[in-house]
Amino acid sequence: MFRNNYDNDAVTFSPQGRIFQVEYAQEAVKQGSVVVGLVNKTHAVLVGLKRNAEELSSYQKKIIEVDSHMGIAIAGLASDARVLSNFMKQQSLSSRMTYGRPLPVDRIVSQIGDRAQTNTQHYGKRPYGVGLLVAGVDEAGPHLFEFQPSGMTHEMLACAIGARSQMARTYLERNLDKLQDTTRDELITHGLQALKETLSQDKELTVDNTSVGVVGLAAEGAKGRIESFKLYEGQLLVPLLEALERSEEGETKEESMEVDS
Amino acid sequence: MNHFPEAWGRPRDDIYGPYNPSYLQTTGPKTHTQSPAVTGTSVVAVKFNGGVAIAADNLASYGSLARFTDVKRLRKFGESAVIGFSGDVSDMQHIDRLLESIDIRENYSTHGNTMNAKNLHTYLSKVLYKRRSEFNPLWNHILVAGFDENKKPFLSSADLLGTTFSAPHLATGFGAHLAVPILRRLFPDEESIETASKEQAVAALRECLKVLWYRDARSLDKYSIAVISEAGIEIEEDQQIEAQSWAFAEAIKGYGAQVN
Amino acid sequence: MTILTGQPPSEAIGYSFAKATSAPVREHSFYPYTDNGGSTLGISGSDFAILAGDTRSVAGYNINSRYVPKVFKIGGDDETGEGAHILLSVVGFAADGQALKERLDAVVKMYKYQHGKSMSVRACAQRLSTILYQKRFFPYYVHAILAGLDEDGKGALYTYDPVGSYEREQCRAAGSAASLMMPFLDNQVNFKNQYIPGSGEGHALEPKKAEPLPRKTVEQLVRDAFTSAVERHIEVGDGLQMMVVTKSGIEEVYYGLKQD
């Protein structure tokens, strides 16, 4: 019987040039519930679908504020995400302490990338079983980064990871051109719409299972240069979900009008 | 008031009694604490409408010996910050190496060096404070000039104890006694700073350096001056104090051999 | 020296260099503290707390700057201070004050990150005490005052000595002019030495009971305390920074003081 001899640790290549443990870790990401991230010229938005392990349990946290200019969305092992999140929090506090400035987003992302990579090159270590979307603002504007257990990081315009995330990616790819010129609220609605695409037939977005995080450049005349990271959960979501509903109605109307003409 | 760097960071005589210099002995086991050796005197700086001007002479003294006469005590950092150092020159060179490595690190990031003068000042004050807390101070008093994150002119100071403060005009060492009153008279309030032109600021600094050259025995008539504005940094390192007039010296009585 | 070593007094001529070699080796040539002067003052009311401080920073007889705040928001956004609900004032050695403020700020932010809720003033007060006490043998040379609203929405004021001893009080002045302001506050806030007229004969006069004062009265008391301190203390002046915590947030006011 066939047995894979190359997946006992995360540091051994298979003859085909693969590291199975890393690929298994990426499977863990695919099993996590979906999170979507997207940016326009002024804002970065994270949207996540929360799961509860059972009827009686609370919902798993999907979006974490790291600092006032940065937050992460997680898919995969939440406990591994906490380790990364704590590290990022420490680093951003230390940047503010030492230099008096918010930590540049690309820098912290490459730092966690490096940490993940060392896990794939030291015997006895295990890759992180979590993928992250990092949304933040720095000197150069809003950013979205994707992080994978392999240590791979990419700057993205829009991205989705986790279970059934392909549906969300398809939506984002189709609407990519529109995203750049959206307003803050429109961007959130697009994020929610992308998230909705991933749902199975019998499910819908509710105030209990949805989570939204927004960070961006401050509007003209506002106090400070950035709009601090804001997490929308529970009742705070109501207006956002209503906006989603309205935009869907608008679309169906447009479509029906086209049919008429 | 003793303004010499040797006196910095020491208990004040008027509060703690005369200082016992025997603790500064050079024999015996090496103590952790140091004292400055080759030193630079005052740095002076003033804000103006749209930027900051900063100046320091080119002298490094070894006690009362004018040891090096072409030492540049103003250092550029990135495209919009200048640091002026007074105090120990070897410690200045140590800080210079720290800044060099930060500059290199910053330039590797995607968006280039985004550290502004304010970030730099925060960092340097932390370095100085950390070293004083280890009882191994960097014997410097520095001024940082440039812009903050809102592109507003920025000028701030940090000393060997890690004490920081910011003001429209600042000077270290003897300059705190001689230059600051001149600058405060020329630019008394916020408004006069906001309307001051670059030329006025530069002229004021040149005047301050001249007075310091007249009265600070550890100063030099060759100096550097830097102007940081939106256009970038203009730095001139071989300036000479012009139009000197020592006529006032005739009127000074009561020093040296001449008594009346 | 001879007394310390137990040797009989020597008849030899005391050369200064000879004396230096026999001096005991002690690490005292660097003194890691300075006094940056100034004063702070806190008063709590029934639904608010006020913390105030002058904005002058001094070194000996020099004025470093006319605007160096001593009162800080804790746990708020770094740029705007928004979201903060606790105030801290520090007076004494400014570099230690700055370091202490930043440590407490980081602690409050980590608390919020880890527990998902804001730190109570009581918890923050206790934590500040341990931070100070941890440096018992190399203290933060500051007098700190912490202000906020307690669990019942009442004004809370906690005062500290440099090594972490603390208590909750109605009112406290700290810093160089504390001895000038505190007796005034004892009389005006806690009604010390005030009696109800006609309530008895001689020593049987009934003392006037202290009760929380309205905000307007307290603000005026703070301004009076500082304008008076400015007159009599050279290290106090330039500006008065006043912060008020209420249930709707933190308000900041600034008044000019005499600059002489």
Side-chain angles (χ1 to χ4, degrees), chain A residues 64-66 68 82 85-86 89-90 93 96-97 223-226 228, chain C residues 73 77-82 99 102-103 105-106 109-110 113-114 116:
Chain A
I64 302 171
E65 174 180 342
V66 173
S68 62
R82 274 173 57 85
S85 161
N86 289 347
K89 177 78 185 174
Q90 289 290 355
L93 273 179
R96 286 197 188 264
M97 191 84 111
K223 212 176 170 189
R225 282 179 310 137
I226 67 161
S228 296
Chain C
K73 294 176 185 173
D77 184 86
D78 276 18
E79 268 179 69
T80 59
E82 248 159 75
E102 284 175 13
R103 257 185 85 175
D105 189 62
K109 281 179 176 152
M110 274 314 280
Y113 171 75
Q114 280 167 341

PDB file of all heavy atoms in Angstrom, chain A residues 64-66 68 82 85-86 89-90 93 96-97 223-226 228, chain C residues 73 77-82 99 102-103 105-106 109-110 113-114 116:
ATOM      1  N   ILE A  64      -9.425  40.916  14.101  1.00  0.00           N
ATOM      2  CA  ILE A  64      -8.771  41.425  15.312  1.00  0.00           C
ATOM      3  C   ILE A  64      -8.112  42.767  15.004  1.00  0.00           C
ATOM      4  O   ILE A  64      -7.423  42.894  13.996  1.00  0.00           O
ATOM      5  CB  ILE A  64      -7.694  40.437  15.814  1.00  0.00           C
ATOM      6  CG1 ILE A  64      -8.309  39.065  16.101  1.00  0.00           C
ATOM      7  CG2 ILE A  64      -7.011  40.965  17.060  1.00  0.00           C
ATOM      8  CD1 ILE A  64      -7.297  37.981  16.389  1.00  0.00           C
ATOM      9  N   GLU A  65      -8.357  43.745  15.859  1.00  0.00           N
ATOM     10  CA  GLU A  65      -7.658  45.024  15.722  1.00  0.00           C
ATOM     11  C   GLU A  65      -6.270  44.870  16.316  1.00  0.00           C
ATOM     12  O   GLU A  65      -6.117  44.503  17.469  1.00  0.00           O
ATOM     13  CB  GLU A  65      -8.408  46.138  16.464  1.00  0.00           C
ATOM     14  CG  GLU A  65      -7.617  47.427  16.457  1.00  0.00           C
ATOM     15  CD  GLU A  65      -8.290  48.584  17.183  1.00  0.00           C
ATOM     16  OE1 GLU A  65      -9.514  48.508  17.408  1.00  0.00           O
ATOM     17  OE2 GLU A  65      -7.582  49.542  17.517  1.00  0.00           O
ATOM     18  N   VAL A  66      -5.252  45.147  15.505  1.00  0.00           N
ATOM     19  CA  VAL A  66      -3.877  45.037  15.991  1.00  0.00           C
ATOM     20  C   VAL A  66      -3.417  46.372  16.564  1.00  0.00           C
ATOM     21  O   VAL A  66      -2.770  46.440  17.592  1.00  0.00           O
ATOM     22  CB  VAL A  66      -2.938  44.568  14.860  1.00  0.00           C
ATOM     23  CG1 VAL A  66      -1.485  44.614  15.310  1.00  0.00           C
ATOM     24  CG2 VAL A  66      -3.306  43.162  14.422  1.00  0.00           C
ATOM     25  N   SER A  68      -4.361  51.000  15.968  1.00  0.00           N
ATOM     26  CA  SER A  68      -5.403  51.877  15.433  1.00  0.00           C
ATOM     27  C   SER A  68      -5.296  52.016  13.920  1.00  0.00           C
ATOM     28  O   SER A  68      -6.248  52.455  13.277  1.00  0.00           O
ATOM     29  CB  SER A  68      -5.334  53.244  16.102  1.00  0.00           C
ATOM     30  OG  SER A  68      -4.108  53.854  15.825  1.00  0.00           O
ATOM     31  N   ARG A  82      -3.732  33.850  17.040  1.00  0.00           N
ATOM     32  CA  ARG A  82      -3.510  34.669  18.244  1.00  0.00           C
ATOM     33  C   ARG A  82      -2.023  34.905  18.493  1.00  0.00           C
ATOM     34  O   ARG A  82      -1.610  35.994  18.872  1.00  0.00           O
ATOM     35  CB  ARG A  82      -4.126  33.994  19.465  1.00  0.00           C
ATOM     36  CG  ARG A  82      -5.591  34.331  19.650  1.00  0.00           C
ATOM     37  CD  ARG A  82      -6.176  33.501  20.776  1.00  0.00           C
ATOM     38  NE  ARG A  82      -5.449  33.683  22.038  1.00  0.00           N
ATOM     39  CZ  ARG A  82      -5.677  34.654  22.911  1.00  0.00           C
ATOM     40  NH1 ARG A  82      -6.619  35.553  22.655  1.00  0.00           N
ATOM     41  NH2 ARG A  82      -4.998  34.750  24.032  1.00  0.00           N
ATOM     42  N   SER A  85      -1.032  37.449  16.007  1.00  0.00           N
ATOM     43  CA  SER A  85      -1.654  38.724  16.353  1.00  0.00           C
ATOM     44  C   SER A  85      -0.949  39.369  17.545  1.00  0.00           C
ATOM     45  O   SER A  85      -0.689  40.576  17.550  1.00  0.00           O
ATOM     46  CB  SER A  85      -3.124  38.478  16.659  1.00  0.00           C
ATOM     47  OG  SER A  85      -3.658  39.531  17.377  1.00  0.00           O
ATOM     48  N   ASN A  86      -0.620  38.551  18.558  1.00  0.00           N
ATOM     49  CA  ASN A  86       0.100  39.087  19.725  1.00  0.00           C
ATOM     50  C   ASN A  86       1.457  39.641  19.311  1.00  0.00           C
ATOM     51  O   ASN A  86       1.867  40.709  19.768  1.00  0.00           O
ATOM     52  CB  ASN A  86       0.306  37.999  20.782  1.00  0.00           C
ATOM     53  CG  ASN A  86      -0.981  37.616  21.462  1.00  0.00           C
ATOM     54  OD1 ASN A  86      -1.979  38.311  21.328  1.00  0.00           O
ATOM     55  ND2 ASN A  86      -0.972  36.510  22.173  1.00  0.00           N
ATOM     56  N   LYS A  89       0.930  42.915  17.568  1.00  0.00           N
ATOM     57  CA  LYS A  89       0.574  43.960  18.538  1.00  0.00           C
ATOM     58  C   LYS A  89       1.828  44.464  19.255  1.00  0.00           C
ATOM     59  O   LYS A  89       2.021  45.676  19.394  1.00  0.00           O
ATOM     60  CB  LYS A  89      -0.423  43.385  19.543  1.00  0.00           C
ATOM     61  CG  LYS A  89      -0.832  44.337  20.650  1.00  0.00           C
ATOM     62  CD  LYS A  89      -1.842  45.350  20.167  1.00  0.00           C
ATOM     63  CE  LYS A  89      -2.155  46.377  21.228  1.00  0.00           C
ATOM     64  NZ  LYS A  89      -3.029  47.437  20.739  1.00  0.00           N
ATOM     65  N   GLN A  90       2.657  43.529  19.685  1.00  0.00           N
ATOM     66  CA  GLN A  90       3.903  43.909  20.364  1.00  0.00           C
ATOM     67  C   GLN A  90       4.770  44.773  19.461  1.00  0.00           C
ATOM     68  O   GLN A  90       5.303  45.792  19.884  1.00  0.00           O
ATOM     69  CB  GLN A  90       4.710  42.651  20.752  1.00  0.00           C
ATOM     70  CG  GLN A  90       4.106  41.833  21.876  1.00  0.00           C
ATOM     71  CD  GLN A  90       4.193  42.551  23.216  1.00  0.00           C
ATOM     72  OE1 GLN A  90       4.787  43.629  23.318  1.00  0.00           O
ATOM     73  NE2 GLN A  90       3.567  41.984  24.240  1.00  0.00           N
ATOM     74  N   LEU A  93       3.262  48.285  18.976  1.00  0.00           N
ATOM     75  CA  LEU A  93       3.442  49.129  20.168  1.00  0.00           C
ATOM     76  C   LEU A  93       4.894  49.583  20.272  1.00  0.00           C
ATOM     77  O   LEU A  93       5.179  50.734  20.604  1.00  0.00           O
ATOM     78  CB  LEU A  93       3.080  48.342  21.433  1.00  0.00           C
ATOM     79  CG  LEU A  93       1.628  48.351  21.869  1.00  0.00           C
ATOM     80  CD1 LEU A  93       1.447  47.505  23.117  1.00  0.00           C
ATOM     81  CD2 LEU A  93       1.128  49.765  22.135  1.00  0.00           C
ATOM     82  N   ARG A  96       5.676  52.382  17.888  1.00  0.00           N
ATOM     83  CA  ARG A  96       5.154  53.667  18.376  1.00  0.00           C
ATOM     84  C   ARG A  96       6.016  54.171  19.526  1.00  0.00           C
ATOM     85  O   ARG A  96       6.247  55.364  19.651  1.00  0.00           O
ATOM     86  CB  ARG A  96       3.711  53.502  18.831  1.00  0.00           C
ATOM     87  CG  ARG A  96       2.748  53.359  17.666  1.00  0.00           C
ATOM     88  CD  ARG A  96       1.329  53.619  18.096  1.00  0.00           C
ATOM     89  NE  ARG A  96       0.391  53.304  17.037  1.00  0.00           N
ATOM     90  CZ  ARG A  96      -0.107  54.208  16.194  1.00  0.00           C
ATOM     91  NH1 ARG A  96       0.253  55.461  16.270  1.00  0.00           N
ATOM     92  NH2 ARG A  96      -0.962  53.842  15.264  1.00  0.00           N
ATOM     93  N   MET A  97       6.482  53.254  20.361  1.00  0.00           N
ATOM     94  CA  MET A  97       7.309  53.633  21.501  1.00  0.00           C
ATOM     95  C   MET A  97       8.666  54.154  21.034  1.00  0.00           C
ATOM     96  O   MET A  97       9.134  55.181  21.506  1.00  0.00           O
ATOM     97  CB  MET A  97       7.497  52.395  22.387  1.00  0.00           C
ATOM     98  CG  MET A  97       8.100  52.665  23.733  1.00  0.00           C
ATOM     99  SD  MET A  97       6.871  53.181  24.918  1.00  0.00           S
ATOM    100  CE  MET A  97       6.815  51.805  26.031  1.00  0.00           C
ATOM    101  N   LYS A 223     -10.420  65.026  12.248  1.00  0.00           N
ATOM    102  CA  LYS A 223      -9.322  65.082  13.207  1.00  0.00           C
ATOM    103  C   LYS A 223      -8.348  63.944  12.903  1.00  0.00           C
ATOM    104  O   LYS A 223      -8.757  62.810  12.730  1.00  0.00           O
ATOM    105  CB  LYS A 223      -9.904  64.920  14.616  1.00  0.00           C
ATOM    106  CG  LYS A 223      -9.143  65.671  15.675  1.00  0.00           C
ATOM    107  CD  LYS A 223      -9.872  65.508  17.001  1.00  0.00           C
ATOM    108  CE  LYS A 223      -9.041  66.020  18.150  1.00  0.00           C
ATOM    109  NZ  LYS A 223      -9.620  65.695  19.440  1.00  0.00           N
ATOM    110  N   GLY A 224      -7.073  64.246  12.823  1.00  0.00           N
ATOM    111  CA  GLY A 224      -6.084  63.197  12.563  1.00  0.00           C
ATOM    112  C   GLY A 224      -5.993  62.853  11.093  1.00  0.00           C
ATOM    113  O   GLY A 224      -6.822  63.279  10.282  1.00  0.00           O
ATOM    114  N   ARG A 225      -4.967  62.078  10.726  1.00  0.00           N
ATOM    115  CA  ARG A 225      -4.744  61.741   9.323  1.00  0.00           C
ATOM    116  C   ARG A 225      -5.448  60.472   8.909  1.00  0.00           C
ATOM    117  O   ARG A 225      -5.721  60.256   7.741  1.00  0.00           O
ATOM    118  CB  ARG A 225      -3.252  61.596   9.049  1.00  0.00           C
ATOM    119  CG  ARG A 225      -2.525  62.926   8.918  1.00  0.00           C
ATOM    120  CD  ARG A 225      -1.075  62.668   8.683  1.00  0.00           C
ATOM    121  NE  ARG A 225      -0.570  61.727   9.675  1.00  0.00           N
ATOM    122  CZ  ARG A 225       0.253  60.714   9.408  1.00  0.00           C
ATOM    123  NH1 ARG A 225       0.660  60.518   8.187  1.00  0.00           N
ATOM    124  NH2 ARG A 225       0.661  59.906  10.375  1.00  0.00           N
ATOM    125  N   ILE A 226      -5.722  59.597   9.900  1.00  0.00           N
ATOM    126  CA  ILE A 226      -6.353  58.336   9.524  1.00  0.00           C
ATOM    127  C   ILE A 226      -7.673  58.128  10.250  1.00  0.00           C
ATOM    128  O   ILE A 226      -7.918  58.689  11.308  1.00  0.00           O
ATOM    129  CB  ILE A 226      -5.424  57.118   9.791  1.00  0.00           C
ATOM    130  CG1 ILE A 226      -5.191  56.919  11.299  1.00  0.00           C
ATOM    131  CG2 ILE A 226      -4.118  57.250   9.053  1.00  0.00           C
ATOM    132  CD1 ILE A 226      -4.710  55.535  11.642  1.00  0.00           C
ATOM    133  N   SER A 228      -9.373  55.577  12.275  1.00  0.00           N
ATOM    134  CA  SER A 228      -8.870  54.425  13.032  1.00  0.00           C
ATOM    135  C   SER A 228      -9.644  53.151  12.720  1.00  0.00           C
ATOM    136  O   SER A 228     -10.814  53.201  12.333  1.00  0.00           O
ATOM    137  CB  SER A 228      -8.959  54.704  14.527  1.00  0.00           C
ATOM    138  OG  SER A 228      -8.121  55.766  14.857  1.00  0.00           O
TER     139      SER A 228
ATOM    140  N   LYS C  73      -3.069  62.233  28.196  1.00  0.00           N
ATOM    141  CA  LYS C  73      -4.161  61.269  28.091  1.00  0.00           C
ATOM    142  C   LYS C  73      -3.549  59.884  28.001  1.00  0.00           C
ATOM    143  O   LYS C  73      -2.569  59.688  27.307  1.00  0.00           O
ATOM    144  CB  LYS C  73      -4.984  61.541  26.823  1.00  0.00           C
ATOM    145  CG  LYS C  73      -5.713  62.864  26.861  1.00  0.00           C
ATOM    146  CD  LYS C  73      -6.418  63.124  25.538  1.00  0.00           C
ATOM    147  CE  LYS C  73      -7.044  64.503  25.542  1.00  0.00           C
ATOM    148  NZ  LYS C  73      -7.588  64.878  24.234  1.00  0.00           N
ATOM    149  N   ASP C  77      -5.807  57.272  21.234  1.00  0.00           N
ATOM    150  CA  ASP C  77      -5.097  57.255  19.963  1.00  0.00           C
ATOM    151  C   ASP C  77      -3.850  58.132  20.075  1.00  0.00           C
ATOM    152  O   ASP C  77      -3.883  59.196  20.688  1.00  0.00           O
ATOM    153  CB  ASP C  77      -6.021  57.798  18.868  1.00  0.00           C
ATOM    154  CG  ASP C  77      -5.382  57.712  17.508  1.00  0.00           C
ATOM    155  OD1 ASP C  77      -5.504  56.649  16.892  1.00  0.00           O
ATOM    156  OD2 ASP C  77      -4.768  58.704  17.075  1.00  0.00           O
ATOM    157  N   ASP C  78      -2.732  57.676  19.483  1.00  0.00           N
ATOM    158  CA  ASP C  78      -1.472  58.395  19.631  1.00  0.00           C
ATOM    159  C   ASP C  78      -1.522  59.813  19.066  1.00  0.00           C
ATOM    160  O   ASP C  78      -0.952  60.732  19.632  1.00  0.00           O
ATOM    161  CB  ASP C  78      -0.347  57.626  18.930  1.00  0.00           C
ATOM    162  CG  ASP C  78       0.212  56.544  19.826  1.00  0.00           C
ATOM    163  OD1 ASP C  78      -0.486  56.200  20.796  1.00  0.00           O
ATOM    164  OD2 ASP C  78       1.314  56.070  19.562  1.00  0.00           O
ATOM    165  N   GLU C  79      -2.190  59.978  17.941  1.00  0.00           N
ATOM    166  CA  GLU C  79      -2.201  61.292  17.295  1.00  0.00           C
ATOM    167  C   GLU C  79      -3.218  62.235  17.919  1.00  0.00           C
ATOM    168  O   GLU C  79      -2.911  63.371  18.245  1.00  0.00           O
ATOM    169  CB  GLU C  79      -2.555  61.130  15.819  1.00  0.00           C
ATOM    170  CG  GLU C  79      -1.352  60.964  14.922  1.00  0.00           C
ATOM    171  CD  GLU C  79      -1.807  60.799  13.492  1.00  0.00           C
ATOM    172  OE1 GLU C  79      -2.321  61.781  12.922  1.00  0.00           O
ATOM    173  OE2 GLU C  79      -1.674  59.683  12.954  1.00  0.00           O
ATOM    174  N   THR C  80      -4.445  61.734  18.077  1.00  0.00           N
ATOM    175  CA  THR C  80      -5.528  62.615  18.495  1.00  0.00           C
ATOM    176  C   THR C  80      -5.869  62.485  19.966  1.00  0.00           C
ATOM    177  O   THR C  80      -6.525  63.347  20.531  1.00  0.00           O
ATOM    178  CB  THR C  80      -6.798  62.315  17.687  1.00  0.00           C
ATOM    179  OG1 THR C  80      -7.153  60.943  17.908  1.00  0.00           O
ATOM    180  CG2 THR C  80      -6.563  62.520  16.208  1.00  0.00           C
ATOM    181  N   GLY C  81      -5.432  61.409  20.609  1.00  0.00           N
ATOM    182  CA  GLY C  81      -5.768  61.173  22.012  1.00  0.00           C
ATOM    183  C   GLY C  81      -7.196  60.692  22.191  1.00  0.00           C
ATOM    184  O   GLY C  81      -7.666  60.516  23.310  1.00  0.00           O
ATOM    185  N   GLU C  82      -7.896  60.462  21.081  1.00  0.00           N
ATOM    186  CA  GLU C  82      -9.294  60.052  21.189  1.00  0.00           C
ATOM    187  C   GLU C  82      -9.435  58.663  21.795  1.00  0.00           C
ATOM    188  O   GLU C  82      -8.607  57.791  21.560  1.00  0.00           O
ATOM    189  CB  GLU C  82      -9.947  60.071  19.798  1.00  0.00           C
ATOM    190  CG  GLU C  82     -10.997  61.159  19.687  1.00  0.00           C
ATOM    191  CD  GLU C  82     -11.268  61.540  18.261  1.00  0.00           C
ATOM    192  OE1 GLU C  82     -11.928  60.762  17.565  1.00  0.00           O
ATOM    193  OE2 GLU C  82     -10.822  62.627  17.864  1.00  0.00           O
ATOM    194  N   ALA C  99       8.921  58.590  30.081  1.00  0.00           N
ATOM    195  CA  ALA C  99       9.053  57.128  30.029  1.00  0.00           C
ATOM    196  C   ALA C  99       7.917  56.456  30.788  1.00  0.00           C
ATOM    197  O   ALA C  99       7.336  55.472  30.324  1.00  0.00           O
ATOM    198  CB  ALA C  99      10.399  56.702  30.598  1.00  0.00           C
ATOM    199  N   GLU C 102       4.628  56.728  28.843  1.00  0.00           N
ATOM    200  CA  GLU C 102       4.563  55.808  27.704  1.00  0.00           C
ATOM    201  C   GLU C 102       4.379  54.363  28.156  1.00  0.00           C
ATOM    202  O   GLU C 102       3.688  53.590  27.492  1.00  0.00           O
ATOM    203  CB  GLU C 102       5.818  55.952  26.843  1.00  0.00           C
ATOM    204  CG  GLU C 102       5.747  57.223  26.019  1.00  0.00           C
ATOM    205  CD  GLU C 102       7.012  57.506  25.226  1.00  0.00           C
ATOM    206  OE1 GLU C 102       7.867  56.613  25.105  1.00  0.00           O
ATOM    207  OE2 GLU C 102       7.131  58.641  24.728  1.00  0.00           O
ATOM    208  N   ARG C 103       4.995  54.000  29.290  1.00  0.00           N
ATOM    209  CA  ARG C 103       4.806  52.630  29.794  1.00  0.00           C
ATOM    210  C   ARG C 103       3.376  52.397  30.210  1.00  0.00           C
ATOM    211  O   ARG C 103       2.772  51.373  29.891  1.00  0.00           O
ATOM    212  CB  ARG C 103       5.726  52.372  30.989  1.00  0.00           C
ATOM    213  CG  ARG C 103       6.925  51.543  30.606  1.00  0.00           C
ATOM    214  CD  ARG C 103       7.743  51.209  31.801  1.00  0.00           C
ATOM    215  NE  ARG C 103       7.269  50.016  32.505  1.00  0.00           N
ATOM    216  CZ  ARG C 103       7.917  49.497  33.542  1.00  0.00           C
ATOM    217  NH1 ARG C 103       9.032  50.055  33.978  1.00  0.00           N
ATOM    218  NH2 ARG C 103       7.449  48.429  34.140  1.00  0.00           N
ATOM    219  N   ASP C 105       0.753  53.997  29.213  1.00  0.00           N
ATOM    220  CA  ASP C 105      -0.070  54.031  28.008  1.00  0.00           C
ATOM    221  C   ASP C 105      -0.060  52.664  27.315  1.00  0.00           C
ATOM    222  O   ASP C 105      -1.106  52.153  26.919  1.00  0.00           O
ATOM    223  CB  ASP C 105       0.469  55.117  27.069  1.00  0.00           C
ATOM    224  CG  ASP C 105      -0.448  55.385  25.898  1.00  0.00           C
ATOM    225  OD1 ASP C 105      -1.595  55.809  26.147  1.00  0.00           O
ATOM    226  OD2 ASP C 105      -0.037  55.162  24.753  1.00  0.00           O
ATOM    227  N   ALA C 106       1.126  52.064  27.210  1.00  0.00           N
ATOM    228  CA  ALA C 106       1.241  50.742  26.586  1.00  0.00           C
ATOM    229  C   ALA C 106       0.486  49.695  27.407  1.00  0.00           C
ATOM    230  O   ALA C 106      -0.185  48.827  26.842  1.00  0.00           O
ATOM    231  CB  ALA C 106       2.701  50.354  26.453  1.00  0.00           C
ATOM    232  N   LYS C 109      -3.223  50.051  26.802  1.00  0.00           N
ATOM    233  CA  LYS C 109      -3.582  49.572  25.460  1.00  0.00           C
ATOM    234  C   LYS C 109      -3.536  48.045  25.379  1.00  0.00           C
ATOM    235  O   LYS C 109      -4.404  47.429  24.756  1.00  0.00           O
ATOM    236  CB  LYS C 109      -2.647  50.177  24.424  1.00  0.00           C
ATOM    237  CG  LYS C 109      -3.025  51.598  24.098  1.00  0.00           C
ATOM    238  CD  LYS C 109      -2.101  52.233  23.106  1.00  0.00           C
ATOM    239  CE  LYS C 109      -2.621  53.621  22.782  1.00  0.00           C
ATOM    240  NZ  LYS C 109      -1.555  54.530  22.386  1.00  0.00           N
ATOM    241  N   MET C 110      -2.536  47.425  26.027  1.00  0.00           N
ATOM    242  CA  MET C 110      -2.466  45.960  26.027  1.00  0.00           C
ATOM    243  C   MET C 110      -3.648  45.374  26.798  1.00  0.00           C
ATOM    244  O   MET C 110      -4.179  44.336  26.425  1.00  0.00           O
ATOM    245  CB  MET C 110      -1.152  45.478  26.675  1.00  0.00           C
ATOM    246  CG  MET C 110       0.028  45.404  25.731  1.00  0.00           C
ATOM    247  SD  MET C 110      -0.297  44.641  24.150  1.00  0.00           S
ATOM    248  CE  MET C 110      -0.228  42.912  24.534  1.00  0.00           C
ATOM    249  N   TYR C 113      -6.518  45.374  24.499  1.00  0.00           N
ATOM    250  CA  TYR C 113      -6.329  44.357  23.466  1.00  0.00           C
ATOM    251  C   TYR C 113      -6.595  42.969  24.018  1.00  0.00           C
ATOM    252  O   TYR C 113      -7.235  42.147  23.378  1.00  0.00           O
ATOM    253  CB  TYR C 113      -4.897  44.460  22.938  1.00  0.00           C
ATOM    254  CG  TYR C 113      -4.475  43.346  22.020  1.00  0.00           C
ATOM    255  CD1 TYR C 113      -4.932  43.294  20.701  1.00  0.00           C
ATOM    256  CD2 TYR C 113      -3.612  42.343  22.458  1.00  0.00           C
ATOM    257  CE1 TYR C 113      -4.537  42.272  19.861  1.00  0.00           C
ATOM    258  CE2 TYR C 113      -3.207  41.325  21.620  1.00  0.00           C
ATOM    259  CZ  TYR C 113      -3.675  41.281  20.325  1.00  0.00           C
ATOM    260  OH  TYR C 113      -3.285  40.280  19.487  1.00  0.00           O
ATOM    261  N   GLN C 114      -6.124  42.708  25.245  1.00  0.00           N
ATOM    262  CA  GLN C 114      -6.248  41.355  25.798  1.00  0.00           C
ATOM    263  C   GLN C 114      -7.620  41.068  26.388  1.00  0.00           C
ATOM    264  O   GLN C 114      -8.084  39.938  26.350  1.00  0.00           O
ATOM    265  CB  GLN C 114      -5.171  41.131  26.864  1.00  0.00           C
ATOM    266  CG  GLN C 114      -3.834  40.791  26.242  1.00  0.00           C
ATOM    267  CD  GLN C 114      -2.691  40.861  27.241  1.00  0.00           C
ATOM    268  OE1 GLN C 114      -2.803  41.480  28.302  1.00  0.00           O
ATOM    269  NE2 GLN C 114      -1.584  40.234  26.902  1.00  0.00           N
ATOM    270  N   GLY C 116     -10.512  43.143  25.833  1.00  0.00           N
ATOM    271  CA  GLY C 116     -11.618  43.650  25.026  1.00  0.00           C
ATOM    272  C   GLY C 116     -12.456  44.703  25.724  1.00  0.00           C
ATOM    273  O   GLY C 116     -13.563  45.002  25.310  1.00  0.00           O
TER     274      GLY C 116
END
